[in-house]
Amino acid sequence: MNEENLAKIQAIAEAALLAAGKPLTLDQLRELFAEDERPARQVMEHVMMLVGNACEGRGFELRKVASGYRLQIREEFAPWVSRLFEEKPQRYSRALLETLALIAYRQPITRGEIEDIRGVAVSSNIIRTLLEREWVRIVGHRDVPGRPAMYATTRQFLDYFNLSGLTELPPLSEIRDLEEIGREIEKNIQAEIEFDSTSAQPTGDNTSDQTFH
Amino acid sequence: MNEENLAKIQAIAEAALLAAGKPLTLDQLRELFAEDERPARQVMEHVMMLVGNACEGRGFELRKVASGYRLQIREEFAPWVSRLFEEKPQRYSRALLETLALIAYRQPITRGEIEDIRGVAVSSNIIRTLLEREWVRIVGHRDVPGRPAMYATTRQFLDYFNLSGLTELPPLSEIRDLEEIGREIEKNIQAEIEFDSTSAQPTGDNTSDQTFH
Amino acid sequence: MSGKEVVDLPNDLYIPPDALAVFLEAFEGPLDLLLYLIRRQNMDILDIDVSEITRQYMEYIGAVEVMRFELAAEYLVMAATLAEIKSRMLLPRHEAEEDDEVDPRAELIRRLQQYERFKKAAEDIDALPRMERETFTVSASLPKLPSNQAHPDVEMRDLLLALQGVLSRADLFTSHHVERERLSTRERMSAILSLLRDDQFVTFQSLFTIEEGRLGVVVTFLATLELVKEQLIEVVQAEVLGQIHVRARAAR
């Protein structure tokens, strides 16, 4: 693969990403080429690096999100670019965001389980909004009376929040188990020192929260 | 106006053009900036030149059109980019296949003659599709009122079906014998060809004269 | 009627009466309210002063009820839970039993912690750079794209099957009628016709190709006869034994 050829593939990939207006996978990009000129996966990966580098210092950047590669406006220019659009970016209620967070970190999860943790009912509107935005979807039903739907997040959710996978979500804060709490309370009372969460040992809770597909 | 400042305005202009997805005028671009930082028209014009230059050798280019500036995929990459929008080819209707078969076996033949044999009208769409695909061509006109065109198959038709000549088409007698094998094939095809074939016997329905593009 | 009672609101609630509705909406439920109260008191979540928190919680609930705002049932359930924990805390603890005895607050603490971490997670998600706020999709306009009508594939058997369908329907298309005319003849008919385009006469001879040999000559001859029969061409001989010319009866 010579330089000239690479440059051409790079320009085509850039053109395609600009034309698509949505993320494209490596394979989707490769399939733009006829079979006899189709770049190998490694070549295409290298080209994507070149595409990314070529955005250096420009108005846009290459980003890898869950559904593939995407060209997007650099965050630093959002203040100017957003003036193009009359509508202010939508704000989401805390109830919606908390519900979304629970689905993201605890998927698959039922509405009842969300309500248990939040301590209040989840309105149907919130679930509907999340489904309509295609940020969550029903992945099955729990085998308990009423067969409640289990929710999970989608690729669109990840794409929207600039994530390439659930592992990129900010880590959940640690939670101390009850025994530990008991011991710590005792310690605090005795030593009267301010408690700070230094416990280095993994709680095991976090890891289990990160299982996804 | 220093270099750094120009570069920033350039990046913002580029970002805005890409985010807008439509042409922007010089003034629309200038209005993205707060009053105290708004570039003069001449400066903005100069920046647009820089934006244009920066597209050198890339997948897109700056175009000045009636309603302003816009970034556009370079035409030379259209063949690749267009694959993004390729639709899955649909299947040809039964009516089209019958028409094609009759042209192959009874050429030169007019549309009226095809209709006589098929017992139903042949839609103009079918003829147009066959002509566009270059499987049939007009070889003359019959010397009757209306001077209807006579259709025959083409070399492309033979090439497509890997025939060196029409004589390689199975003789009609064999086709009649197909009845036996036919049933089996029919079953396979039924799943593939989209025509309503609820009845097992070949009917004259030909509701399949639908469009197919 | 409630003006007096509102004045009686605890000072540390700091809520003007008319803001109570807004205040109520600001909380995502009893856990959220409790967390607020705990944080405001600078309490350690792991060592909640249950009786103080319960007192404040009840005052809040009371104030809301006095204002006759509708209170979600969850708030009342929590009030009951707090009351129960408070009463259990008052029971004397026996040194010996301490190991087995679960702190009455444990379950509440667990729930508060659990809720708090997802409250935080929601804030984290909200802070992520997101489309239409921190970043925007890009698109450039398209040049003229080549027509992309992908052609359907056709199998020969589909074609034959279609023909078979027609044949079995069309009585007039009897097998002997068609079969007598060899396909080679019909193919040649098309070929001859396409030679005869511009309403010009061509010599009969020019229709034949020597290289095709005897069989080719026969095919061409049969095709010509068929074309004459179908009145597609006319054959002209100006003088006896002179050149024979042919032309299409209706050229394009």
Side-chain angles (χ1 to χ4, degrees):
Chain A
M1 187 70 54
N2 58 36
E3 290 280 315
E4 198 189 322
N5 219 332
L6 272 182
K8 188 184 165 191
I9 298 173
Q10 183 187 335
I12 290 173
E14 188 178 64
L17 288 169
L18 284 170
K22 61 171 190 183
L24 295 176
T25 64
L26 214 55
D27 283 335
Q28 281 173 321
L29 285 162
R30 290 175 58 234
E31 272 156 27
L32 299 177
F33 298 85
E35 246 173 282
D36 57 338
E37 53 163 23
R38 186 167 300 157
R41 283 195 121 250
Q42 295 99 308
V43 173
M44 205 66 216
E45 254 164 25
H46 178 65
V47 165
M48 292 323 287
M49 200 196 68
L50 297 177
V51 170
N53 291 346
C55 296
E56 213 57 53
R58 306 196 61 132
F60 58 100
E61 63 186 346
L62 182 73
R63 183 92 188 202
K64 199 173 176 200
V65 291
S67 315
Y69 293 92
R70 166 172 85 191
L71 289 173
Q72 62 187 42
I73 303 300
R74 279 182 196 277
E75 222 177 299
E76 59 188 293
F77 300 126
W80 290 271
V81 170
S82 60
R83 293 202 188 115
L84 280 175
F85 308 103
E86 293 269 306
E87 275 178 57
K88 289 274 152 279
Q90 197 173 344
R91 293 185 66 112
Y92 295 99
S93 68
R94 271 183 58 200
L96 181 136
L97 288 166
E98 286 180 12
T99 305
L100 180 61
L102 277 160
I103 295 173
Y105 286 89
R106 276 288 163 91
Q107 56 191 291
I109 189 171
T110 66
R111 184 159 154 181
E113 289 158 355
I114 296 169
E115 291 176 341
D116 281 348
I117 295 176
R118 293 193 58 231
V120 280
V122 171
S123 88
S124 298
N125 261 337
I126 286 177
I127 300 286
R128 200 179 320 124
T129 304
L130 291 173
L131 286 169
E132 272 171 12
R133 292 235 55 172
E134 293 187 324
W135 283 352
V136 313
R137 67 203 164 107
I138 293 171
V139 288
H141 294 263
R142 209 176 274 300
D143 199 15
V144 295
R147 293 179 47 74
M150 289 188 294
Y151 299 96
T153 52
T154 61
R155 275 218 213 108
Q156 286 89 325
F157 160 75
L158 296 169
D159 290 349
Y160 192 82
F161 288 97
N162 275 281
L163 304 167
S164 67
L166 285 173
T167 40
E168 286 191 359
L169 278 173
L172 272 183
S173 53
E174 289 195 356
I175 190 164
R176 283 137 336 207
D177 68 24
L178 295 178
E179 273 178 40
E180 201 182 337
I181 290 167
R183 280 198 303 275
E184 277 165 8
I185 292 171
E186 286 299 311
K187 222 165 45 180
N188 290 349
I189 290 169
Q190 278 162 19
E192 286 200 17
I193 50 165
E194 226 180 84
F195 174 83
D196 56 11
S197 61
T198 47
S199 65
Q201 92 210 78
T203 58
D205 193 24
N206 250 337
T207 44
S208 67
D209 278 341
Q210 310 264 351
T211 42
F212 5 76
H213 17 88
Chain B
M1 187 70 55
N2 60 33
E3 289 279 315
E4 199 187 321
N5 218 332
L6 271 182
K8 188 182 166 194
I9 299 174
Q10 182 187 338
I12 291 173
E14 188 179 62
L17 287 169
L18 287 171
K22 61 171 189 185
L24 294 176
T25 63
L26 215 54
D27 284 335
Q28 282 174 317
L29 285 163
R30 290 175 58 233
E31 273 156 25
L32 299 177
F33 298 85
E35 246 175 282
D36 57 337
E37 53 165 20
R38 185 166 301 155
R41 285 196 119 249
Q42 295 96 311
V43 173
M44 205 66 213
E45 254 164 26
H46 178 65
V47 165
M48 293 321 289
M49 200 196 68
L50 297 176
V51 169
N53 291 346
C55 295
E56 210 60 49
R58 305 196 64 130
F60 58 100
E61 61 191 344
L62 183 73
R63 281 284 182 93
K64 198 170 177 202
V65 292
S67 42
Y69 293 91
R70 83 171 171 214
L71 290 170
Q72 178 176 311
I73 310 293
R74 279 181 198 277
E75 194 143 3
E76 61 186 293
F77 302 125
W80 290 273
V81 169
S82 67
R83 295 213 180 99
L84 280 176
F85 308 102
E86 228 160 62
E87 282 167 36
K88 263 222 151 38
Q90 285 173 314
R91 297 208 152 254
Y92 285 137
S93 68
R94 178 74 169 235
L96 179 135
L97 294 178
E98 286 182 8
T99 304
L100 179 60
L102 284 172
I103 293 172
Y105 278 85
R106 289 290 289 165
Q107 60 188 280
I109 190 171
T110 65
R111 183 159 152 186
E113 289 158 352
I114 297 169
E115 291 177 342
D116 283 346
I117 298 168
R118 291 191 56 231
V120 282
V122 171
S123 86
S124 301
N125 263 334
I126 287 179
I127 301 288
R128 198 183 317 127
T129 303
L130 290 173
L131 287 169
E132 274 171 10
R133 183 112 198 221
E134 295 186 321
W135 278 353
V136 312
R137 67 199 164 115
I138 293 170
V139 287
H141 294 262
R142 208 178 268 293
D143 194 18
V144 293
R147 294 170 45 81
M150 287 185 296
Y151 300 97
T153 50
T154 60
R155 172 130 290 280
Q156 286 91 326
F157 168 79
L158 295 173
D159 289 348
Y160 184 87
F161 289 102
N162 273 306
L163 306 167
S164 64
L166 283 178
T167 39
E168 287 189 4
L169 279 173
L172 279 180
S173 56
E174 258 178 50
I175 293 173
R176 295 228 165 228
D177 295 340
L178 267 178
E179 208 119 347
E180 287 294 302
I181 336 160
R183 281 199 198 91
E184 194 196 332
I185 300 176
E186 184 97 15
K187 250 192 294 186
N188 299 335
I189 293 178
Q190 246 160 7
E192 297 168 26
I193 301 191
E194 260 154 56
F195 68 109
D196 39 274
S197 55
T198 36
S199 54
Q201 97 227 60
T203 63
D205 65 341
N206 280 300
T207 44
S208 39
D209 275 45
Q210 319 123 328
T211 48
F212 36 77
H213 30 98
Chain C
M1 92 177 206
S2 54
K4 184 86 177 77
E5 282 151 315
V6 169
V7 174
D8 287 339
L9 270 176
N11 288 335
D12 55 0
L13 214 49
Y14 301 124
I15 316 162
D18 52 347
L20 212 49
V22 180
F23 194 74
L24 180 66
E25 274 172 14
F27 290 109
E28 290 297 323
L31 291 173
D32 197 24
L33 173 57
L34 276 179
L35 275 179
Y36 167 79
L37 296 174
I38 291 165
R39 292 292 175 227
R40 209 186 43 164
Q41 299 290 308
N42 283 326
M43 268 184 215
D44 185 342
I45 195 172
L46 298 178
D47 191 18
I48 302 168
D49 179 345
V50 177
S51 61
E52 176 57 18
I53 285 298
T54 304
R55 184 185 66 78
Q56 292 190 15
Y57 185 89
M58 294 305 187
E59 277 166 357
Y60 173 76
I61 297 299
V64 170
E65 286 192 321
V66 162
M67 294 298 289
R68 293 185 165 180
F69 289 120
E70 199 161 333
L71 201 58
E74 291 95 341
Y75 285 94
L76 302 177
V77 173
M78 179 57 74
T81 307
L82 285 173
E84 200 228 331
I85 295 172
K86 189 177 155 191
S87 63
R88 281 173 61 198
M89 294 291 281
L90 295 174
L91 292 176
R93 283 165 96 195
H94 299 290
E95 288 285 324
E97 289 170 333
E98 207 173 301
D99 283 345
D100 319 332
E101 208 170 329
V102 182
D103 188 323
R105 302 171 300 176
E107 172 61 12
L108 180 65
I109 290 171
R110 189 195 65 80
R111 288 186 67 194
L112 283 169
Q113 271 201 310
Q114 188 74 285
Y115 172 69
E116 190 178 37
R117 72 197 302 225
F118 286 105
K119 183 184 166 181
K120 173 70 168 47
E123 288 164 9
D124 289 345
I125 285 180
D126 197 28
L128 287 173
R130 76 165 81 135
M131 301 308 292
E132 295 150 28
R133 196 180 66 183
E134 276 83 13
T135 181
F136 298 86
T137 51
V138 299
S139 60
S141 49
L142 297 172
K144 199 168 168 299
L145 295 178
S147 154
N148 249 302
Q149 190 57 57
H151 294 303
D153 289 324
V154 175
E155 301 271 336
M156 177 56 87
R157 60 173 197 183
D158 297 348
L159 198 61
L160 297 180
L161 216 70
L163 184 61
Q164 189 209 341
V166 180
L167 293 186
S168 57
R169 294 203 310 271
D171 287 341
L172 86 161
F173 209 48
T174 55
S175 61
H176 72 269
H177 177 89
V178 179
E179 248 169 305
R180 246 194 347 218
E181 290 154 9
R182 303 289 307 272
L183 271 171
S184 53
T185 311
R186 302 222 63 99
E187 188 171 32
R188 189 58 53 96
M189 286 164 69
S190 298
I192 292 172
L193 274 177
S194 48
L195 276 176
L196 307 174
R197 293 318 276 268
D198 305 315
D199 209 13
Q200 297 288 317
F201 279 105
V202 305
T203 64
F204 186 55
Q205 274 176 305
S206 67
L207 300 180
F208 296 87
T209 314
I210 306 293
E211 290 74 33
E212 286 187 339
R214 189 186 294 263
L215 196 63
V217 171
V218 171
V219 168
T220 303
F221 189 66
L222 287 173
T224 316
L225 289 182
E226 187 61 34
L227 287 168
V228 172
K229 194 180 112 200
E230 292 190 22
Q231 298 186 325
L232 293 172
I233 59 170
E234 56 183 314
V235 182
V236 177
Q237 191 174 28
E239 52 195 85
V240 182
L241 298 178
Q243 273 281 22
I244 298 173
H245 287 87
V246 297
R247 77 167 176 184
R249 289 184 68 107
R252 275 194 127 166

